[in-house]
Amino acid sequence: AVGGQVAEGGEATGSLEYRLVDSLSLETKTLLSGGIAGSVAKTLTAPLSRVTILFQVHGVVTTKPSRTAYAENFVAALRKMVQREGILAMWKGNATSVLHRFPYSAINFFCYEKAKVALNVNGESAMTRLLAGGVAGALACMVCYPLDLIRTRLATQIPGAAFYDGIWDCGVKILREEGPWGMYRGLGSTLAVQVPSLAISYSAYGTLSEAFKRRGIFLCPQRSDRLNAVGCLLSGAIAGILGSMVTYPMDVVRRRQQIMVKHSKVRDTRARNALEDFVFIFRQDGITGLYRGILPEALKVIPVVSITFLTYERVRRFLRIDR
């Protein structure tokens, strides 16, 4: 009798869970899937993200112009950051990151799925995914950009010389000192990075996934039309590397643009625009300057894109979008 009650309770619980899931609209499920995927991936890779940003912007924030690199290498950078600010420094600004990443990823995946259907005239192709990814990336960037700007400014503050005291204080000071358009400083260079990067990532992921399915590798034992975890992670890793390598130099410029105005005032120098800064970096440090921080970026982008796509696929199944 007791066993029967447990079984009935389990069945009722399962039934209730499915009823709750099925009560959500497809749009809500897609937004949740994207938001959760982005937030999980961002939190797990936050230390790598912060090291990358510190390498990218060090030439702007340092009080020692002769030292254009944050540290000699990735390991030295991690050690320096932890010694200066403690172990939690690796997640500095992560609350803002998640506040930005949840809506950003939710809008991104939602717009990608919608754009893919709208552009899918003669069957889904690499070009369809490329265009849909570009559209999704542009819309998500423009909507969520102010939070990305705030996150970057908080993550790049120097201990003992901080301009801002938290998310709210940062937002208020930017509006007061730089005006409403200050919240969108560096948007042009951000779009120049994110649109092609996301377009390439979506296209590469979808194309690789289809290739694996056609060859019958990395498939779920129960479902031959679904990739297993290894397939999702491998497709995401390759897609992330391709997107990042193409757009990384512009990513260095966009991060510097986001903080340039504040640090140029401190140094009493004129803030350079994106093109001027690109030329300045190239003249000062050559091609290596444009790829400064690429190692932590590569170490970050492989897991972040892989985990994002894997989590997205798994949450879609949990929410019964893909049955």
mmCIF file of all heavy atoms in Angstrom, residues 14-33:
data_model
loop_
_atom_site.group_PDB
_atom_site.id
_atom_site.type_symbol
_atom_site.label_atom_id
_atom_site.label_comp_id
_atom_site.label_asym_id
_atom_site.label_seq_id
_atom_site.Cartn_x
_atom_site.Cartn_y
_atom_site.Cartn_z
ATOM 1 N N GLY A 14 4.944 13.992 -11.582
ATOM 2 C CA GLY A 14 5.390 14.050 -12.963
ATOM 3 C C GLY A 14 4.345 14.673 -13.857
ATOM 4 O O GLY A 14 4.640 15.479 -14.724
ATOM 5 N N SER A 15 3.088 14.283 -13.618
ATOM 6 C CA SER A 15 2.002 14.815 -14.424
ATOM 7 C C SER A 15 1.864 16.319 -14.228
ATOM 8 O O SER A 15 1.663 17.072 -15.173
ATOM 9 C CB SER A 15 0.691 14.109 -14.038
ATOM 10 O OG SER A 15 -0.385 14.637 -14.771
ATOM 11 N N LEU A 16 1.988 16.765 -12.955
ATOM 12 C CA LEU A 16 1.905 18.194 -12.653
ATOM 13 C C LEU A 16 3.041 18.946 -13.331
ATOM 14 O O LEU A 16 2.847 20.027 -13.894
ATOM 15 C CB LEU A 16 1.968 18.397 -11.133
ATOM 16 C CG LEU A 16 1.998 19.868 -10.653
ATOM 17 C CD1 LEU A 16 0.729 20.596 -11.091
ATOM 18 C CD2 LEU A 16 2.147 19.912 -9.128
ATOM 19 N N GLU A 17 4.247 18.373 -13.287
ATOM 20 C CA GLU A 17 5.407 19.001 -13.917
ATOM 21 C C GLU A 17 5.173 19.192 -15.408
ATOM 22 O O GLU A 17 5.423 20.262 -15.955
ATOM 23 C CB GLU A 17 6.639 18.124 -13.686
ATOM 24 C CG GLU A 17 7.910 18.644 -14.338
ATOM 25 C CD GLU A 17 9.071 17.687 -14.150
ATOM 26 O OE1 GLU A 17 9.441 17.446 -12.990
ATOM 27 O OE2 GLU A 17 9.566 17.167 -15.160
ATOM 28 N N TYR A 18 4.656 18.145 -16.059
ATOM 29 C CA TYR A 18 4.404 18.245 -17.493
ATOM 30 C C TYR A 18 3.288 19.240 -17.804
ATOM 31 O O TYR A 18 3.332 19.947 -18.804
ATOM 32 C CB TYR A 18 4.050 16.866 -18.074
ATOM 33 C CG TYR A 18 5.244 15.956 -18.230
ATOM 34 C CD1 TYR A 18 5.201 14.629 -17.800
ATOM 35 C CD2 TYR A 18 6.426 16.417 -18.790
ATOM 36 C CE1 TYR A 18 6.304 13.788 -17.931
ATOM 37 C CE2 TYR A 18 7.537 15.594 -18.919
ATOM 38 C CZ TYR A 18 7.465 14.284 -18.493
ATOM 39 O OH TYR A 18 8.554 13.477 -18.630
ATOM 40 N N ARG A 19 2.280 19.277 -16.910
ATOM 41 C CA ARG A 19 1.197 20.240 -17.132
ATOM 42 C C ARG A 19 1.714 21.671 -17.042
ATOM 43 O O ARG A 19 1.317 22.540 -17.830
ATOM 44 C CB ARG A 19 0.073 20.019 -16.121
ATOM 45 C CG ARG A 19 -0.785 18.795 -16.402
ATOM 46 C CD ARG A 19 -2.149 18.907 -15.727
ATOM 47 N NE ARG A 19 -2.055 19.060 -14.287
ATOM 48 C CZ ARG A 19 -2.004 18.047 -13.435
ATOM 49 N NH1 ARG A 19 -2.005 16.799 -13.883
ATOM 50 N NH2 ARG A 19 -1.943 18.259 -12.135
ATOM 51 N N LEU A 20 2.599 21.923 -16.070
ATOM 52 C CA LEU A 20 3.174 23.261 -15.923
ATOM 53 C C LEU A 20 4.013 23.635 -17.143
ATOM 54 O O LEU A 20 3.928 24.747 -17.662
ATOM 55 C CB LEU A 20 4.040 23.321 -14.662
ATOM 56 C CG LEU A 20 3.302 23.299 -13.320
ATOM 57 C CD1 LEU A 20 4.288 23.158 -12.167
ATOM 58 C CD2 LEU A 20 2.464 24.564 -13.151
ATOM 59 N N VAL A 21 4.822 22.680 -17.601
ATOM 60 C CA VAL A 21 5.667 22.932 -18.768
ATOM 61 C C VAL A 21 4.812 23.172 -20.007
ATOM 62 O O VAL A 21 5.044 24.105 -20.784
ATOM 63 C CB VAL A 21 6.630 21.739 -19.006
ATOM 64 C CG1 VAL A 21 7.294 21.841 -20.374
ATOM 65 C CG2 VAL A 21 7.687 21.696 -17.913
ATOM 66 N N ASP A 22 3.800 22.326 -20.188
ATOM 67 C CA ASP A 22 2.962 22.436 -21.388
ATOM 68 C C ASP A 22 2.076 23.680 -21.372
ATOM 69 O O ASP A 22 1.530 24.069 -22.410
ATOM 70 C CB ASP A 22 2.090 21.182 -21.531
ATOM 71 C CG ASP A 22 2.912 19.950 -21.893
ATOM 72 O OD1 ASP A 22 4.031 20.136 -22.408
ATOM 73 O OD2 ASP A 22 2.452 18.826 -21.648
ATOM 74 N N SER A 23 1.924 24.295 -20.176
ATOM 75 C CA SER A 23 1.108 25.512 -20.107
ATOM 76 C C SER A 23 1.853 26.728 -20.659
ATOM 77 O O SER A 23 1.246 27.765 -20.932
ATOM 78 C CB SER A 23 0.691 25.780 -18.658
ATOM 79 O OG SER A 23 1.816 26.143 -17.864
ATOM 80 N N LEU A 24 3.178 26.616 -20.795
ATOM 81 C CA LEU A 24 3.978 27.725 -21.326
ATOM 82 C C LEU A 24 3.874 27.775 -22.839
ATOM 83 O O LEU A 24 3.803 26.748 -23.513
ATOM 84 C CB LEU A 24 5.446 27.556 -20.920
ATOM 85 C CG LEU A 24 5.758 27.505 -19.422
ATOM 86 C CD1 LEU A 24 7.230 27.182 -19.203
ATOM 87 C CD2 LEU A 24 5.401 28.827 -18.753
ATOM 88 N N SER A 25 3.906 28.977 -23.380
ATOM 89 C CA SER A 25 3.873 29.130 -24.836
ATOM 90 C C SER A 25 5.236 28.771 -25.428
ATOM 91 O O SER A 25 6.251 28.744 -24.719
ATOM 92 C CB SER A 25 3.527 30.570 -25.212
ATOM 93 O OG SER A 25 4.571 31.451 -24.820
ATOM 94 N N LEU A 26 5.257 28.492 -26.722
ATOM 95 C CA LEU A 26 6.512 28.166 -27.398
ATOM 96 C C LEU A 26 7.500 29.317 -27.284
ATOM 97 O O LEU A 26 8.699 29.109 -27.079
ATOM 98 C CB LEU A 26 6.243 27.855 -28.877
ATOM 99 C CG LEU A 26 7.477 27.592 -29.743
ATOM 100 C CD1 LEU A 26 8.247 26.382 -29.232
ATOM 101 C CD2 LEU A 26 7.077 27.392 -31.204
ATOM 102 N N GLU A 27 7.005 30.543 -27.394
ATOM 103 C CA GLU A 27 7.869 31.721 -27.310
ATOM 104 C C GLU A 27 8.518 31.826 -25.930
ATOM 105 O O GLU A 27 9.723 32.091 -25.807
ATOM 106 C CB GLU A 27 7.070 33.004 -27.598
ATOM 107 C CG GLU A 27 6.648 33.185 -29.038
ATOM 108 C CD GLU A 27 5.495 32.287 -29.450
ATOM 109 O OE1 GLU A 27 4.831 31.713 -28.540
ATOM 110 O OE2 GLU A 27 5.249 32.160 -30.667
ATOM 111 N N THR A 28 7.710 31.596 -24.876
ATOM 112 C CA THR A 28 8.239 31.651 -23.508
ATOM 113 C C THR A 28 9.292 30.569 -23.284
ATOM 114 O O THR A 28 10.344 30.809 -22.686
ATOM 115 C CB THR A 28 7.101 31.481 -22.480
ATOM 116 O OG1 THR A 28 6.136 32.519 -22.677
ATOM 117 C CG2 THR A 28 7.635 31.553 -21.059
ATOM 118 N N LYS A 29 9.011 29.368 -23.773
ATOM 119 C CA LYS A 29 9.967 28.263 -23.629
ATOM 120 C C LYS A 29 11.282 28.568 -24.339
ATOM 121 O O LYS A 29 12.368 28.282 -23.814
ATOM 122 C CB LYS A 29 9.366 26.976 -24.203
ATOM 123 C CG LYS A 29 8.213 26.407 -23.402
ATOM 124 C CD LYS A 29 7.681 25.150 -24.085
ATOM 125 C CE LYS A 29 6.518 24.542 -23.331
ATOM 126 N NZ LYS A 29 5.999 23.322 -23.999
ATOM 127 N N THR A 30 11.198 29.157 -25.525
ATOM 128 C CA THR A 30 12.410 29.481 -26.284
ATOM 129 C C THR A 30 13.228 30.547 -25.561
ATOM 130 O O THR A 30 14.453 30.453 -25.472
ATOM 131 C CB THR A 30 12.058 29.969 -27.699
ATOM 132 O OG1 THR A 30 11.257 28.983 -28.354
ATOM 133 C CG2 THR A 30 13.312 30.216 -28.526
ATOM 134 N N LEU A 31 12.545 31.562 -25.034
ATOM 135 C CA LEU A 31 13.234 32.618 -24.290
ATOM 136 C C LEU A 31 13.903 32.058 -23.034
ATOM 137 O O LEU A 31 15.054 32.391 -22.722
ATOM 138 C CB LEU A 31 12.248 33.718 -23.906
ATOM 139 C CG LEU A 31 11.769 34.628 -25.047
ATOM 140 C CD1 LEU A 31 10.570 35.457 -24.603
ATOM 141 C CD2 LEU A 31 12.898 35.542 -25.523
ATOM 142 N N LEU A 32 13.206 31.185 -22.304
ATOM 143 C CA LEU A 32 13.773 30.572 -21.108
ATOM 144 C C LEU A 32 14.982 29.704 -21.455
ATOM 145 O O LEU A 32 16.007 29.748 -20.759
ATOM 146 C CB LEU A 32 12.718 29.723 -20.399
ATOM 147 C CG LEU A 32 11.687 30.466 -19.543
ATOM 148 C CD1 LEU A 32 10.609 29.498 -19.062
ATOM 149 C CD2 LEU A 32 12.355 31.134 -18.345
ATOM 150 N N SER A 33 14.866 28.930 -22.516
ATOM 151 C CA SER A 33 15.967 28.052 -22.928
ATOM 152 C C SER A 33 17.222 28.863 -23.224
ATOM 153 O O SER A 33 18.324 28.525 -22.763
ATOM 154 C CB SER A 33 15.565 27.240 -24.167
ATOM 155 O OG SER A 33 14.459 26.415 -23.906
#
